[in-house]
Amino acid sequence: MQLSQPVIIACIFLLLVPLWVLLRRDFTKGFAYGVFLCVLMPTYLRISLPGGLPQLTIHRLVLISMFMFWLGRSSERRPVAETPLLPQLCFWAAVSFVSLLLTSITFSTSFKRFLDFVVEIYLFYLLLSTSLRNADDAFLILRAAWFGVSLVAVLAVLERYTGFNPTYWLTGEVFGARHDIVATYQHRILLGAGMAMALPLALGFFGSVYAGAPRRFYLWASIVFIIAASYFAQSRGPWIAAILAGITLIFFANRFIRNKVFLLGVLALLALALRPGVWETLSDRVASSADSQSFKGGTLQYRLELWKVAWAQVTKSPQTFFFGYGPGCGSETEIDWNLSYRGQQYDISSWDNQFAYDLYQCGFFGLAASFALYGSVLLFLYRSWRLAEPAHGDLILCLFASALAMVFMMTNVLIFAKPLYYLFWTIVATAPVLASTTVQEAEESLSLEADLEVISPTRGEV
């Protein structure tokens, strides 16, 4: 059963009215609600337009609304030129635009891809980065993102035990195999990627200095649902990404956060002991990964093979070498390829490696821009953590671990669920605000202490 277009329009309107009211009364709270919607909602909640016109997705309508209110706040926001990572963003956008104009196989498809994953995502980041005034604003936004991704986890668990999936009611389609758990993220691997990002985000709220921090009961409940959803996604890549994030926290976080990570490890071992079927599932998947002739082992080799495929395609001409075949070109082509690890022909239509796909769609310059952008993001978040005072240090470190999980997943899957990008760029935008605020607070504290020393008698004079 698929919902009719009038019902979908009514649902979108009901979601947007609170956004408009909040943006008018308190822009930051309105933006937080917008982040919540962007992280939670599927792209299939949309108003279809005739012909080849871009569809009005819920994310697009939320962005338009926030942009209109943002325009009226010119005196309260920071200049766009001061946006962190702006040169890297401009480089990637410029390469994608040139690829769109010069080399795209199908212009309409490339234009829609460019609009979805360059213009909209980066506009969202610019709006957020220029609007956050202090750590209180940043924390409010992060809490909204955590709440949104936690609800995704709840929906995944409900789908596992009831079979209900909201995306199915919007489209009438089943994504992946019928037993796959996807929630609102379109694919089980993407669901797992979202959960791998959500876990360190939830851990970061423990011990927060903010009065508005989620209570520990809700945080633990969120973590339980996140871990359950990650397991139900049944994908090895997100599990490895979550482990990578956990190792990062074990090595660099303070004892309070480390204890939480160790406790989760103990609970996981206890669950494996109480439910042997879970251990058998995990061990079977690990064993099959080492066998290139198995399905799971083949998918691991396939992700590596995509680098060879992309390189073979872009080196066919100087133009494609530098700018590829246009954004989104993979949806328009099938490449007849002989798999080196099996020695058999295969039609390449699925790009389960975001970076290899960037090489294919935007060429050498596109891959360089992608590496420069995401490498700079990780370095930027690391420096934000290093600059932060202890009051916010662990939260920022958890944001770094969350972003690291996302970048790792880009080597395992094509990130075509936009909510993951909204979550990622929310993390990127809020971390430096937390760090700069704490540095500013520390400087003000030192200045105050110096003033007190001037006006107060020293111990020797008493």
Side-chain angles (χ1 to χ4, degrees):
M1 177 181 177
Q2 181 179 358
L3 295 179
S4 64
Q5 191 66 196
V7 174
I8 292 178
I9 293 174
C11 292
I12 291 176
F13 181 76
L14 291 175
L15 291 171
L16 291 179
V17 168
L19 175 66
W20 299 331
V21 173
L22 287 171
L23 286 171
R24 185 177 182 84
R25 293 180 178 177
D26 188 320
F27 182 78
T28 304
K29 290 183 178 179
F31 213 117
Y33 177 66
V35 168
F36 166 76
L37 292 178
C38 288
V39 170
L40 171 63
M41 293 294 163
T43 56
Y44 291 98
L45 184 60
R46 59 195 180 190
I47 300 173
S48 299
L49 298 180
L53 294 175
Q55 296 174 326
L56 295 177
T57 65
I58 181 64
H59 304 99
R60 196 164 289 167
L61 292 170
V62 167
L63 274 179
I64 292 173
S65 300
M66 293 193 299
F67 178 68
M68 297 304 296
F69 282 89
W70 179 84
L71 288 175
R73 293 170 52 87
S74 58
S75 61
E76 302 177 36
R77 64 174 187 259
R78 292 197 301 272
V80 174
E82 296 180 4
T83 303
L85 302 168
L86 187 61
Q88 293 90 332
L89 288 169
C90 290
F91 180 35
W92 174 235
V95 171
S96 299
F97 186 68
V98 173
S99 178
L100 165 69
L101 294 180
L102 296 183
T103 63
S104 60
I105 297 175
T106 305
F107 182 82
S108 60
T109 299
S110 294
F111 177 74
K112 291 177 181 178
R113 176 81 183 187
F114 179 79
L115 185 64
D116 280 337
F117 293 94
V118 178
V119 175
E120 290 184 26
I121 300 299
Y122 295 164
L123 175 62
F124 170 83
Y125 171 69
L126 291 175
L127 295 179
L128 185 55
S129 292
T130 56
S131 299
L132 295 177
R133 298 164 297 181
N134 50 48
D136 291 331
D137 289 352
F139 189 85
L140 182 65
I141 297 297
L142 281 177
R143 189 175 61 183
W146 161 77
F147 189 40
V149 75
S150 295
L151 282 184
V152 174
V154 171
L155 289 174
V157 174
L158 289 176
E159 183 181 354
R160 169 63 177 80
Y161 290 106
T162 67
F164 172 76
N165 182 286
T167 308
Y168 171 78
W169 291 98
L170 292 172
T171 64
E173 300 178 9
V174 176
F175 294 89
R178 182 168 293 273
H179 63 276
D180 283 354
I181 306 300
V182 300
T184 58
Y185 281 6
Q186 300 174 247
H187 195 282
R188 61 182 179 83
I189 302 178
L190 298 178
L191 171 64
M195 297 304 101
M197 296 176 66
L199 184 58
L201 176 60
L203 288 169
F205 288 120
F206 282 106
S208 175
V209 297
Y210 289 94
R215 294 183 179 180
R216 292 188 181 183
F217 171 79
Y218 299 116
L219 287 174
W220 280 118
S222 167
I223 288 172
V224 169
F225 278 103
I226 288 169
I227 293 176
S230 179
Y231 174 73
F232 293 147
Q234 292 291 293
S235 179
R236 299 155 299 167
W239 298 342
I240 298 174
I243 293 173
L244 181 62
I247 291 174
T248 301
L249 298 181
I250 289 174
F251 275 97
F252 299 106
N254 68 16
R255 182 181 300 177
F256 189 76
I257 297 295
R258 287 202 305 268
N259 288 343
K260 298 295 183 295
V261 178
F262 283 129
L263 178 59
L264 288 178
V266 171
L267 293 176
L269 292 176
L270 181 61
L272 293 176
L274 294 177
R275 302 196 64 177
V278 176
W279 171 253
E280 292 176 2
T281 298
L282 296 177
S283 60
D284 287 345
R285 289 183 176 271
V286 172
S288 63
S289 299
D291 182 8
S292 64
Q293 299 304 313
S294 70
F295 174 76
K296 292 298 180 182
T299 59
L300 178 62
Q301 296 291 332
Y302 179 74
R303 287 171 171 84
L304 299 175
E305 188 85 2
L306 288 173
W307 284 108
K308 300 179 182 179
V309 177
W311 179 257
Q313 298 305 307
V314 299
T315 52
K316 289 184 176 181
S317 73
Q319 191 175 31
T320 57
F321 175 76
F322 288 112
F323 295 106
Y325 293 87
C329 59
S331 61
E332 300 292 324
T333 59
E334 284 192 4
I335 302 170
D336 189 23
W337 182 261
N338 185 46
L339 297 175
S340 62
Y341 59 93
R342 283 186 177 168
Q344 65 183 41
Q345 293 297 117
Y346 186 78
D347 290 331
I348 305 295
S349 58
S350 175
W351 287 83
D352 297 333
N353 183 325
Q354 180 67 55
F355 292 119
Y357 188 62
D358 288 341
L359 174 61
Y360 179 52
Q361 66 175 344
C362 293
F364 172 79
F365 284 147
L367 180 62
S370 186
F371 280 159
L373 176 60
Y374 291 102
S376 297
V377 164
L378 293 180
L379 181 60
F380 181 69
L381 292 176
Y382 174 79
R383 288 176 174 173
S384 296
W385 167 63
R386 295 287 293 176
L387 287 173
E389 292 295 309
H392 298 274
D394 280 333
L395 177 56
I396 298 175
L397 179 63
C398 289
L399 299 183
F400 170 79
S402 182
L404 182 63
M406 170 70 163
V407 174
F408 173 80
M409 284 307 302
M410 296 177 76
T411 66
N412 284 260
V413 67
L414 178 66
I415 309 294
F416 57 85
K418 285 200 292 184
L420 293 180
Y421 283 109
Y422 287 118
L423 178 59
F424 179 81
W425 288 107
T426 296
I427 288 169
V428 176
T430 53
V433 178
L434 291 170
S436 62
T437 302
T438 54
V439 171
Q440 181 180 353
E441 290 172 350
E443 292 174 348
E444 292 175 352
S445 177
L446 290 174
S447 176
L448 179 60
E449 291 177 1
D451 292 339
L452 291 175
E453 288 180 0
V454 171
I455 64 177
S456 301
T458 64
R459 292 183 179 180
E461 294 172 337
V462 174

